[in-house]
Amino acid sequence: MLASPGFFVLMVAVAICRGLRCSNMNTEDELVDGGSEYGSVWPLPQNVRISTVSFKLAGSAFQVVDSKDSTAGSSCSLLQNAYRRYYEYVFGNARNPADARRVTALGAPGLAELQVWITSPDPECDGYPRAASDESYELSVNQTYALLKAPKVWGALRGLETFSQLVYEDEHGAKTINATEISDFPRFAHRGVLLDSSRHFLPIKVILANLEAMAMNKFNVFHWHIVDDPSFPYFSRTFPQLSQQGAYHPYTHVYTPADVKMVIEFARLRGIRVVPEFDTPGHTQSWGKGQKDLLTPCYSGSSPSGTFGPVNPILNTTYDFMSQFFKEISTVFPDEYVHLGGDEVDFNCWRSNPDIQKFMDQQGFGGDYSMLESFYIQKLLDIVATTQKGYVIWQEVFDNGVKLKPDTLIHVWKGNQQQYQEEMAKVTSSGYQTLLSTPWYLNRISYGQDWRGIYKADPQHFNGTEAQKKLVIGGEACLWGEYVDATNLTPRLWPRASAVAERLWSAKDVTDLDDAYRRLSIHRCRMVERGIPAEPLFTSYCPREYRGI
């Protein structure tokens, strides 16, 4: 146990029931921190007890330190960076001596430090977060000190966020935290946000700000849909002409190798994986501007029309290019996975091209152009497999019967609720792991509190066995960029994506919309205070309104 038995005598049992770990709630005790019995923590931890017994924190005296038993000491730059970051979140940039005087004047017990104890022999300080990373942690707050215990640094990062959310200001303006016990871990291993930097170029500072917001909501995957039809902003060292010809501007609207490295490291320090998507054979118009003969010439009757369709799947040069390109990608992006797309391939251009028609006859494909797509995708998957990367593909690749490795990750995005639930059942019954995004396309907006519908969607709500449900490893909130750029991306994404975050982190039975509203309202103000222009849920105000303009 993290705290002494005497601590639990002090505890007013305010708990989430989780089987045998359920405590009785004293209904006469006032609720803490904003009206929710669970404080304002978002996403809600798996097991949490928050007491009405409170302690004060003085910024001039409080410190975050390594536990003497921790396997990650002062040499763990990831944690030292996080300690500074979360100290500033709680107390601001300066240690204010007035804080200590205020606490002394109130005569309240004070909390002097948070000890962080990494228990595993390998804390993974210098590594990158992985699909199987351990993000569990335990957090105990009592009068003597607070203790954050985690097997790996990734869990410590999540616990530091939770600790920062437990701190609030009392009626005198003093930083306060209640006696608390938390045991927490994510429900799903993959909790992602997709941003699209092709339809509109996203400045690096916007991407970094949203990585910060992702960490505040315990997301752990940045799905970077970096290129598409409109533009190719990724600067390739192997094929620099791709961005020179395919970006909106070859200098101002390009992600240099230094930019990409910065994003990956910024994300790593927050326990976030960066999974790039290079979608082919469709969505590739920008690729063709800088790579000759990559795209299929379309025909009007017996003559070329001057337009181009998907990647040309019948040329050996296509696969030579893809082999070199994805070899580079495998060295630039350290994650175990790359997203290969494979969605929305328009067959009309292939159908019009006489060379494609001849190839179809030779291969015995008849008029089934999904077989040609499968031919291309299979060759691409084989190429990527040689780079030792796993791959994620959109559901069409699975639907079209492409031969896939058993560990392929299928990303479901199409259809209404019934259709995507049927797709999830179909994919998992075939033994594949899957991600859900269909109900979480946040570029679709409506008037009112649409976060409620987002919150209700559950990736395991489909007809299937328990074994099938276990193949669902999470989901992603997607913000496509047709109508989104630096001016409106962040308020459109937050706090709506926060609803997805809780669904993917918290226990399955955390579904109380009224409690979620109370906590999310406070969490939205917390994001605003930290510089994230998250839009309001409804009529309300924040004690510290957004000052970014």
Side-chain angles (χ1 to χ4, degrees):
M1 299 294 291
L2 291 175
S4 65
F7 167 68
F8 295 108
V9 173
L10 293 173
M11 295 291 289
V12 177
V14 179
I16 307 168
C17 295
R18 295 285 181 269
L20 297 177
R21 296 191 294 278
C22 179
S23 298
N24 294 322
M25 176 179 172
N26 186 340
T27 56
E28 294 182 359
D29 286 298
E30 65 179 272
L31 302 178
V32 298
D33 195 5
S36 171
E37 63 204 56
Y38 310 126
S40 63
V41 180
W42 192 279
L44 193 64
Q46 298 287 336
N47 302 278
V48 55
R49 295 176 181 177
I50 300 179
S51 167
T52 53
V53 176
S54 64
F55 316 110
K56 305 304 176 185
L57 296 83
S60 58
F62 185 84
Q63 57 184 346
V64 185
V65 298
D66 298 304
S67 164
K68 62 181 178 62
D69 297 315
S70 178
T71 59
S74 58
S75 62
C76 183
S77 60
L78 181 146
L79 282 183
Q80 300 306 316
N81 181 294
Y83 297 167
R84 291 189 292 270
R85 186 166 69 252
Y86 280 101
Y87 178 90
E88 291 178 3
Y89 276 156
V90 174
F91 297 107
N93 293 320
R95 293 180 178 270
N96 187 356
D99 288 346
R101 292 194 295 270
R102 184 185 294 112
V103 169
T104 302
L106 291 172
L111 186 70
E113 67 181 20
L114 168 63
Q115 297 183 11
V116 179
W117 179 9
I118 306 299
T119 61
S120 169
D122 179 14
E124 300 183 1
C125 289
D126 299 320
Y128 291 92
R130 297 173 292 108
S133 288
D134 189 339
E135 297 176 278
S136 65
Y137 69 93
E138 297 175 26
L139 177 62
S140 176
V141 180
N142 61 37
Q143 183 172 349
T144 307
Y145 59 87
L147 179 63
L148 170 58
K149 182 178 177 181
K152 304 287 185 180
V153 294
W154 319 116
L157 292 175
R158 307 304 173 225
L160 286 166
E161 176 61 38
T162 297
F163 179 84
S164 74
Q165 294 184 12
L166 290 168
V167 178
Y168 60 98
E169 291 185 358
D170 69 6
E171 65 273 20
H172 304 290
K175 297 291 183 180
T176 307
I177 192 169
N178 290 70
T180 302
E181 182 197 6
I182 289 175
S183 175
D184 200 12
F185 54 89
R187 179 183 171 200
F188 293 104
H190 187 118
R191 308 177 308 282
V193 171
L194 177 151
L195 297 182
D196 170 9
S197 60
S198 173
R199 271 90 179 186
H200 286 95
F201 181 80
L202 302 178
I204 288 294
K205 66 178 183 179
V206 172
I207 294 175
L208 299 185
N210 280 279
L211 286 169
E212 196 76 76
M214 286 174 62
M216 294 178 201
N217 289 271
K218 297 186 172 71
F219 279 108
N220 68 346
V221 178
F222 170 36
H223 176 169
W224 194 352
H225 189 87
I226 192 166
V227 302
D228 206 297
D229 281 331
S231 73
F232 196 105
Y234 170 77
F235 178 86
S236 167
R237 290 186 185 273
T238 311
F239 301 100
Q241 70 275 14
L242 289 170
S243 59
Q244 286 290 312
Q245 301 297 321
Y248 285 131
H249 189 282
Y251 304 115
T252 61
H253 287 59
V254 167
Y255 300 110
T256 67
D259 292 333
V260 172
K261 186 176 182 179
M262 181 193 301
V263 168
I264 292 170
E265 179 61 10
F266 192 93
R268 186 188 78 86
L269 292 175
R270 289 152 182 79
I272 298 172
R273 300 162 52 204
V274 178
V275 178
E277 180 182 354
F278 292 92
D279 190 359
T280 66
H283 293 276
T284 48
Q285 290 298 299
S286 66
W287 299 53
K289 295 177 180 179
Q291 186 63 23
K292 184 180 179 182
D293 297 329
L294 181 64
L295 303 186
T296 305
C298 305
Y299 276 67
S300 177
S302 59
S303 301
S305 65
T307 61
F308 295 88
V311 165
N312 193 329
I314 70 173
L315 300 180
N316 290 334
T317 53
T318 292
Y319 302 104
D320 292 339
F321 165 80
M322 292 296 174
S323 181
Q324 293 180 67
F325 181 76
F326 280 101
K327 182 178 180 181
E328 174 188 322
I329 296 306
S330 70
T331 62
V332 172
F333 292 91
D335 197 74
E336 307 146 280
Y337 284 88
V338 61
H339 202 303
L340 299 177
D343 63 314
E344 297 183 318
V345 181
D346 187 347
F347 296 152
N348 288 326
C349 183
W350 282 350
R351 192 176 286 117
S352 74
N353 185 293
D355 294 327
I356 298 286
Q357 294 170 9
K358 182 178 178 181
F359 183 83
M360 293 280 289
D361 292 338
Q362 292 172 344
Q363 296 293 321
F365 293 163
D368 188 353
Y369 284 85
S370 66
M371 295 181 68
L372 181 60
E373 178 190 11
S374 297
F375 174 86
Y376 167 80
I377 291 288
Q378 184 59 62
K379 282 185 171 291
L380 180 64
L381 299 183
D382 290 342
I383 287 169
V384 173
T386 66
T387 69
Q388 308 303 311
K389 293 286 189 184
Y391 41 74
V392 190
I393 46 88
W394 295 110
Q395 70 180 74
E396 287 98 320
V397 179
F398 168 81
D399 293 340
N400 290 340
V402 176
K403 182 181 178 182
L404 301 171
K405 292 193 302 180
D407 60 350
T408 301
L409 191 49
I410 313 296
H411 198 163
V412 174
W413 71 277
K414 297 176 70 175
N416 57 31
Q417 181 175 341
Q418 179 181 342
Q419 290 169 331
Y420 78 70
Q421 288 175 340
E422 290 174 351
E423 183 75 7
M424 297 288 282
K426 183 179 177 182
V427 170
T428 54
S429 67
S430 298
Y432 292 107
Q433 291 186 322
T434 185
L435 298 170
L436 179 65
S437 282
T438 310
W440 298 324
Y441 265 43
L442 303 188
N443 48 291
R444 299 170 181 158
I445 58 175
S446 61
Y447 188 78
Q449 297 190 48
D450 62 347
W451 72 269
R452 293 175 177 266
I454 293 166
Y455 188 80
K456 290 178 182 178
D458 192 296
Q460 289 184 331
H461 282 176
F462 61 88
N463 292 326
T465 65
E466 285 305 307
Q468 286 178 251
K469 303 292 179 70
K470 290 179 180 178
L471 290 172
V472 180
I473 66 166
E476 293 183 356
C478 299
L479 191 65
W480 297 98
E482 287 88 349
Y483 303 99
V484 174
D485 67 3
T487 65
N488 64 344
L489 183 151
T490 305
R492 183 165 295 188
L493 186 58
W494 307 102
R496 296 161 75 232
S498 301
V500 183
E502 180 150 297
R503 181 57 50 235
L504 294 175
W505 179 282
S506 304
K508 185 176 183 177
D509 58 355
V510 176
T511 56
D512 186 333
L513 279 169
D514 291 336
D515 183 73
Y517 179 83
R518 287 190 290 268
R519 288 183 294 108
L520 187 54
S521 295
I522 298 171
H523 184 56
R524 177 256 166 180
C525 284
R526 180 186 299 121
M527 288 192 284
V528 166
E529 183 175 353
R530 294 185 186 181
I532 302 298
E535 69 179 15
L537 275 68
F538 191 53
T539 54
S540 63
Y541 79 100
C542 292
R544 292 179 177 84
E545 296 288 2
Y546 182 65
R547 304 296 185 189
I549 298 176

